[in-house]
Every structure is written in C-alpha cells, then in structure tokens.
Amino acid sequence: MLNPLSSQPQQHVDVIIIGAGPSGAIAASLLHQQGKSVVVIEKQYFPRFSIGESLLPHCMTFIEEAGMLDAVNQAGFQFKNGAAFRKNGHYQSFDFTDKFTAGHGTTFQVQRGDFDKLLADTAAKQGVEIRYGHTVLTVDIDEQPVVTIEDNNQETYQVKAQYILDASGFGRVLPKLLDLETPSNLPSRTAIFTHINDNISDSEFDREKILISVHPKCSAIWYWLIPFSNGRCSIGVVAEPRLIEHIKGSNEQKLLELISQEPDLKRLLSHATVAQECAVIKGYSANVKTLATNKFALLGNAGEFLDPVFSSGVTIAMKSASLAVETLLKQLNGETVDWDKAYTEPLMVGVNTFRTYVEAWYDTRFQQVIFAEDPNPKIKQMICSILAGYAWDETNPFVAESSRRLSTLVKMCQHQAELTLVSNAEEVV
Ligand code: FAD
C-alpha cells in the first residue's frame, strides 16, 4: 500500500520504538532476541550529549538481560561502587555491595553520549535496525498503529506496527501527540550543569562514588559531582528557580557562585576548569494520564520522571523497557493483556518508592536519615538497596511500606540525635 504522504510504500513491523536512548536500545535488543521485527527511529545522530551520568547497580541487571554486559564492562567507564553525601562537614558514604537485596553491587559513571552509543551500537550488532536522523512526526492509533516519520532527506514515510514503544525521553512524543501529559506533583526545579577538568588533588576523594553535597544554609539546594575515568567530572546544582534566579550572571557564573557557597566543594574544586558550556534544564519532573494501553507503552522519561537526586532515571528507564517487553511478548503471542496490571502497577512500585525518598530528601527528613550517626547496619543495608536501584524488591520493608517505615526511621534518628546532644552536653558539663 502506498503511503498517502509520500511515494514510499508503507512499511510493516511488529514494534516501532521511538528513541534509541537506554530504554529504547534495551527494549529493541530484548524484542529482537525474541524474534520480533523492530525498528528504532532516532531523531539525532549518536554520540549526542545527554544528562544522567551516574548509573545504579540495578541497571546492570537489564544491561545483562540485553546481552550488553561485556560491552559495558569493557568500555573503560569509571567504576562506581556507591554514593557519598556531604552536608556541613558531615560525610556519609554508602557501599552498594553491602546491601539487603541480592544482585549487582557495582556499576559505572558514564559520559552518556558514549554510553548511549555503546548500547545502541551493541543492539545494532545484534541485528536491530536503528534509523538515525529520522523523526517521528505523528501517530494514528485509531486502528492498528501507524507512525509518520520524517527521514534525513526531509521525506516523510509511514510505518505500521502492532505496537509502539515510546522511548523518546524528554521529547515525550506520545504524551504530547496523544494529550497524555499531566502536571507533576513535585515542585518545579532547575538544574545547571557542566563537565569540568576536576584537577582534584585530595587523596581522600573517592572517585568510585557520586558525591551529593548539600548547601550549608539551604537544604533544598544540592550538588552532584560525578567523576569520570578521564580526569573530568560532571558537576551540577539543583534548586527551585527562586533560589537560583536572583544570582546575577550567566549560567556558568550562577553555578560557580553556588559552588563557592559550599566550602568543602569549593576546596575540592579549587583547581578545576570548566570543560564545556553550562546547560540548564528547568521543570524536568513529568507525569502522564496513562503509561500503557494495548497499542502503546511509555518507557523511561517519556512516562514518569521524578528527580535526579538518587540517579534513578536510567534504572527506571531500563526497568520499564524490560517490563514492557515481557508484557508485549505475551500480547504479540496472542494473549490478552491487562497493561495496567502487567506493566503500570509493577513499574510504579519502584517509581513510588523513589518518590517517597525524593520527597523526604527535599523536606529534609531523608537527609536526617542519610547523615545519622551510627546507623543500624541492617537498616543501612535496606536503605542502601534502594540507593543502588533495587526499589522494586518488596521483601525490603523500606520498599514494601516506604512511607511508614521511613517515618519510623526518621523518628529513631531524631531520638538518637537528641541522645547524642544530651550526652555531648553532659561531657561538656
Ligand atoms: P533518553 O535517554 O532521553 O533518549 C530519548 C531519545 O529519544 C533521544 O536520543 C532523542 O533524540 C530521541 N527522540 C526524542 N524525540 C524524538 C522523535 N520525535 N523522534 C525520534 N526520536 C526522538 N538518570 C540517572 O540514571 N542518573 C543520573 O545521574 C541522572 N541525572 C540527571 C540529571 C538531570 C538534571 C536530569 C534532568 C535527569 C537526570 N537523569 C539521571 C535522568 C536521565 O537523564 C533519564 O532518566 C534517562 O536519560 C532516560 O532515558 P530514556 O531512554 O528514557 O530517554
């Protein structure tokens, strides 16, 4: 059949995937391995810059599922074994190998341009077709889904598929085209970030962990420092716009001014030089009316995005790819599938776990937990599991009943802090 918009015949595949980022590449690989015909439409050419450079160990599960573990392990990315936090001189670190949930305990800190290209190239080597420089323009899901695409010669053509996976990240193609967007219940926040030649000489600095620092006077402002294997770091600051906009100057000046307000970070980065132009993302949290139907599913950032503070984005993106493919294979093999039960509800277990801790980070309750002195080792392992990305493990009480358990833990930490204060006061007396 001829496509009415162009002279090209309409193409047919089992699944069309919009976007070749982590969720698109993993989903494409998993479907191809099961013998399904897949085409990935990617509007950019790789490598392209993307933010989201600190991975969590749980995402190695999905990289392994997709047969990409060797490629990732051998790529020379910065090894990562945990997360460190600093606030007003207090330092707390979490070793991801010492966690409650079984599974990978280490991962990498990656330049996303290289990482995303590696995943996409590995999927292509496995046989997946990726069309770079092609952009999805419209979709019609009234009957069998049909996607209209503009190729790299500005010609349009159509692909008919049994199913669409939207892995378009912040492009949010289907939420926009199908009017699925709803406002996030998280306040709007702004991130300013860049890469630096870090020139860090402090021998105590742990390059194998992301460092999250909290502004000494305003707990709602935090910074990430993500070391790479090439002597550079990704550095960024996150805050509500009102806490950033009053600072005069360019984005770089705003970022440097905020870094200079955190004494430990200022000292650590005293010889750093900016290696690329600062970028800004505003109002990144996103929500949708529906994550999936029997015609499409939203993966990764095309669906929900919470907040960067616990580096959960790529892990959620890959988990969504794995879960959507598992569900889709049943549908493609003739089973009737309830997408809410099979995809949305299980995916939201982890998303909502992260949501509990993100909200409690900003209202500072979770900061009290992170910086608690002498934490109970068993509880620390459970919290560590979540920080390592195992937010779907409902045998972990801090996943199964995240809000209630967290409230109890916060009270315990406050009580402990009061006892410490009293005993310190007694020592002084
Ligand atoms: P993406 O990686 O964004 O890929 C989407 C692809 O779709 C792109 O390549 C794009 O070109 C393509 N596309 C878009 N529109 C179209 C179209 N119309 N047609 C064809 N192709 C299209 N996550 C972490 O895990 N760790 C972190 O440290 C972290 N830090 C973050 C910091 C900030 C400030 C922000 C905002 C996010 C951060 N994230 C982090 C989240 C992370 O960036 C995302 O969760 C992750 O990139 C999502 O992957 P994805 O596969 O869903 O989409």
Side-chain angles (χ1 to χ4, degrees), residues 20-324:
S23 58
I26 295 284
S29 163
L30 295 175
L31 283 163
H32 178 77
Q33 285 172 37
Q34 294 303 315
K36 301 301 171 194
S37 59
V38 186
V39 63
V40 182
I41 304 300
E42 169 54 59
K43 75 172 181 185
Q44 300 192 61
Y45 291 91
F46 283 16
R48 51 92 179 95
F49 181 83
S50 180
I51 194 65
E53 297 143 326
S54 162
L55 304 181
L56 300 181
H58 190 28
C59 78
M60 305 307 280
T61 314
F62 311 111
I63 291 172
E64 189 170 16
E65 246 178 51
M68 301 182 180
L69 197 56
D70 285 348
V72 170
N73 279 335
Q74 289 159 17
F77 293 122
Q78 171 64 52
F79 176 78
K80 172 180 174 180
N81 61 16
F85 296 83
R86 184 146 44 203
K87 182 177 183 180
N88 284 323
H90 294 282
Y91 181 84
Q92 183 66 265
S93 74
F94 288 80
D95 173 356
F96 288 161
T97 62
D98 186 15
K99 59 179 168 38
F100 174 82
T101 308
H104 292 275
T106 63
T107 185
F108 297 97
Q109 290 157 174
V110 300
Q111 293 90 333
R112 280 289 301 281
D114 297 337
F115 177 73
D116 290 12
K117 182 170 180 349
L118 180 74
L119 297 188
D121 286 352
T122 309
K125 272 191 209 144
Q126 293 170 348
V128 169
E129 183 188 356
I130 304 178
R131 297 182 189 166
Y132 292 100
H134 290 220
T135 304
V136 169
L137 300 178
T138 62
V139 296
D140 181 349
I141 55 161
D142 285 347
E143 290 170 22
Q144 193 179 338
V146 178
V147 178
T148 302
I149 297 158
E150 184 178 79
D151 71 13
N152 39 8
N153 296 315
Q154 279 78 53
E155 295 279 332
T156 57
Y157 65 99
Q158 290 188 326
V159 178
K160 196 171 198 174
Q162 301 205 45
Y163 203 82
I164 307 174
L165 290 176
D166 184 359
S168 63
F170 290 115
R172 297 173 66 75
V173 171
L174 292 193
K176 285 178 184 154
L177 291 175
L178 303 177
D179 190 25
L180 302 175
E181 295 193 287
T182 54
S184 170
N185 59 351
L186 294 167
S188 178
R189 295 196 170 88
T190 297
I192 309 180
F193 50 89
T194 189
H195 286 181
I196 51 174
N197 299 304
D198 60 76
N199 298 318
I200 294 173
S201 55
D202 181 345
S203 57
E204 309 248 293
F205 178 63
D206 187 350
R207 296 193 78 86
E208 297 184 345
K209 293 184 176 63
I210 181 175
L211 174 64
I212 302 287
S213 306
V214 182
H215 190 282
K217 296 207 175 102
C218 178
S219 301
I221 302 177
W222 64 272
Y223 313 78
W224 75 73
L225 187 67
I226 303 172
F228 296 132
S229 55
N230 64 353
R232 290 188 173 182
C233 279
S234 170
I235 174 94
V237 64
V238 175
E240 286 178 43
R242 66 187 168 87
L243 299 172
I244 291 186
E245 277 161 8
H246 68 278
I247 302 171
K248 293 203 171 51
S250 63
N251 290 324
E252 184 175 317
Q253 286 164 325
K254 288 178 202 278
L255 177 61
L256 296 181
E257 168 58 25
L258 284 163
I259 291 171
S260 76
Q261 293 174 12
E262 205 292 271
D264 285 314
L265 207 50
K266 182 181 175 187
R267 177 189 51 77
L268 200 60
L269 299 180
S270 54
H271 299 295
T273 57
V274 174
Q276 71 181 38
E277 202 179 331
C278 278
V280 179
I281 298 186
K282 296 179 180 177
Y284 45 71
S285 301
N287 216 333
V288 281
K289 289 177 202 158
T290 180
L291 275 175
T293 71
N294 62 356
K295 293 190 176 162
F296 68 84
L298 310 180
L299 307 184
N301 275 22
E304 284 259 346
F305 181 68
L306 296 170
D307 192 89
V309 67
F310 302 126
S311 307
S312 57
V314 171
T315 300
I316 293 175
M318 290 186 177
K319 171 77 183 182
S320 69
S322 170
L323 205 50

Side-chain angles (χ1 to χ4, degrees), residues 292-366:
T293 71
N294 62 356
K295 293 190 176 162
F296 68 84
L298 310 180
L299 307 184
N301 275 22
E304 284 259 346
F305 181 68
L306 296 170
D307 192 89
V309 67
F310 302 126
S311 307
S312 57
V314 171
T315 300
I316 293 175
M318 290 186 177
K319 171 77 183 182
S320 69
S322 170
L323 205 50
V325 168
E326 190 186 317
T327 311
L328 180 52
L329 286 171
K330 290 182 186 152
Q331 179 169 309
L332 292 175
N333 292 337
E335 282 181 44
T336 304
V337 167
D338 179 340
W339 278 86
D340 283 341
K341 288 249 162 332
Y343 176 67
T344 305
E345 288 173 17
L347 180 64
M348 291 311 287
V349 167
V351 174
N352 286 333
T353 302
F354 279 119
R355 187 191 307 278
T356 300
Y357 295 93
V358 165
E359 286 174 351
W361 171 265
Y362 285 103
D363 69 23
T364 75
R365 288 178 308 135
F366 194 48

